[in-house]
Amino acid sequence: MAVRLERQVPQVPAGVAGRRSRAAAMMPPVFVLLWSSAFIAGAIGVDAAPPLLLTFARFALAGLLLTGLALVLRAPWPRGRLLAHIAVTGLLIQAVQFGALYTAMGLGLPAGVVALAQGLNPVVIALLAASLLGERVTGRQWAGFALGAAGVVLAVAGRVAFSPLGVVLLVVGLLGLSAGTVYQKRFVADMNVFSGTAVQFLVAAPVIGLSSLAFETPRVGHWPAFGTALAWIVLVNSVGVFLLLNTMLRRASASRVSTLFFLTPSVTAVLAWLVIGQALDAWTVAGLALGGVGVLLAGRS
C-alpha cells in the first residue's frame, strides 16, 4: 500500500500574526508623524547652524550608528553592483533631497512650504513608477493623487513667500526624493534595511561635507539648539524613519508608499502650531481633511 507523504507547512500562531498585522497597520501613521517632525527639527537646526553643516552632521552620525547596529545584528553588507545601486539611492534620497531642502529652509522658507514641495512627491513617483516600474495606477488612485495634491496646496495657502533660489532648491529636493524612491524600488528593493540605510548615509555624508566647506562657513551659532535638533534628526528622523521607509518599500509599491507624503504638509503645520507656535488656520484644517481623503483613495488597490 502506497503511503502519501504531505509536506507540513509551519503555521504562524494567531497571536503572533495579530501582532504583526497591528504593527504593519501602525507603520504608515507613525511614519507620517515622525517624517513631519523632521521639518520642525530642521527649522530649529538651521537657525543654529548652516544648513549643509547640519545635514552633514546628521548623515555622519546616523551612518555610524546604523553601521554599529548592522554589525551587532550581523546584517549582510551589499557588494558589487548592489552596493553601487544603494550608493546611487543614497545620493538621491539623502544628499540631493536634504541638502536642497535644508538649504531652502536656511534661506528662510517656512517648514510648511518645504513640506509642500515634498508633499507633491506622490504624483512624481506615480508618473515615474508607471513608466519605469510598470506599476499600474488605477483611476481611483489618480483621483486620490488629485485630491491629495489639492490638500497639499490648501494646507499652506496664503503662507507662501518664495525666493527664486528657494524655488529651485525645492524642485531639486523633490526630484531627488522621487527619483531615488523609484530607483530603490527597481534596483534594491530587497536590501537589508540596516546595512543598506547605513551605506546610503555614509555615501551622502562626504558629498554634503565637502559642499559645506565650499559654500558655507561651517560654524555653530547656538550649541544647545543645534544639539537638540541634531539628536532628534539623527535618532528619530534618520534612523527610525528611514528604517520604516525602507521596510514599507519592501512590502508595498512605490506609488502606494509615496501617497503618505500627501499628509506631511498638513501634519507639519499642526506640529509647527503645537511646538513652535505657528498659526493653524482654516486652510490647514481643510488641507488636512482633503489630503486624508486623497491618501485613502490613492492607497486602495
Side-chain angles (χ1 to χ4, degrees), residues 144-169:
F145 292 148
L147 288 176
V152 164
V153 174
L154 280 178
V156 294
R159 301 172 59 189
V160 179
F162 289 127
S163 68
L165 180 57
V167 172
V168 173
L169 290 171

Side-chain angles (χ1 to χ4, degrees), residues 50-60 90-91 94-100 102-103 201-216 218:
L52 293 179
L53 176 61
L54 175 67
T55 310
F56 166 73
R58 167 185 181 167
F59 291 165
L91 292 176
Q94 306 295 346
V96 174
Q97 179 195 187
F98 288 105
Y102 276 25
T103 302
F201 284 129
L202 293 177
V203 167
V207 175
I208 296 298
L210 291 175
S211 299
S212 178
L213 292 174
F215 301 111
E216 298 176 335

Side-chain angles (χ1 to χ4, degrees), residues 203-285:
V203 167
V207 175
I208 296 298
L210 291 175
S211 299
S212 178
L213 292 174
F215 301 111
E216 298 176 335
T217 301
R219 181 175 57 193
V220 177
H222 192 262
W223 277 103
F226 177 79
T228 301
L230 181 61
W232 182 269
I233 291 171
V234 169
L235 296 176
V236 176
N237 302 127
S238 297
V239 177
V241 168
F242 274 94
L243 290 178
L244 268 177
L245 176 62
N246 289 334
T247 299
M248 290 190 298
L249 283 173
R250 293 180 63 179
R251 297 182 176 186
S253 69
S255 57
R256 177 173 294 186
V257 172
S258 71
T259 59
L260 297 173
F261 290 98
F262 276 142
L263 293 176
T264 58
S266 297
V267 175
T268 299
V270 173
L271 290 177
W273 171 58
L274 293 173
V275 178
I276 57 180
Q278 292 184 358
L280 182 62
D281 53 26
W283 292 106
T284 302
V285 176

Side-chain angles (χ1 to χ4, degrees), residues 17 55 65 80 85 116 121 123 126-127 135 150 213-214 219 231 261 275 285:
T55 310
L65 180 58
H85 286 316
L116 164 65
N121 173 52
V123 178
L127 295 174
E135 293 183 3
L213 292 174
R219 181 175 57 193
F261 290 98
V275 178
V285 176

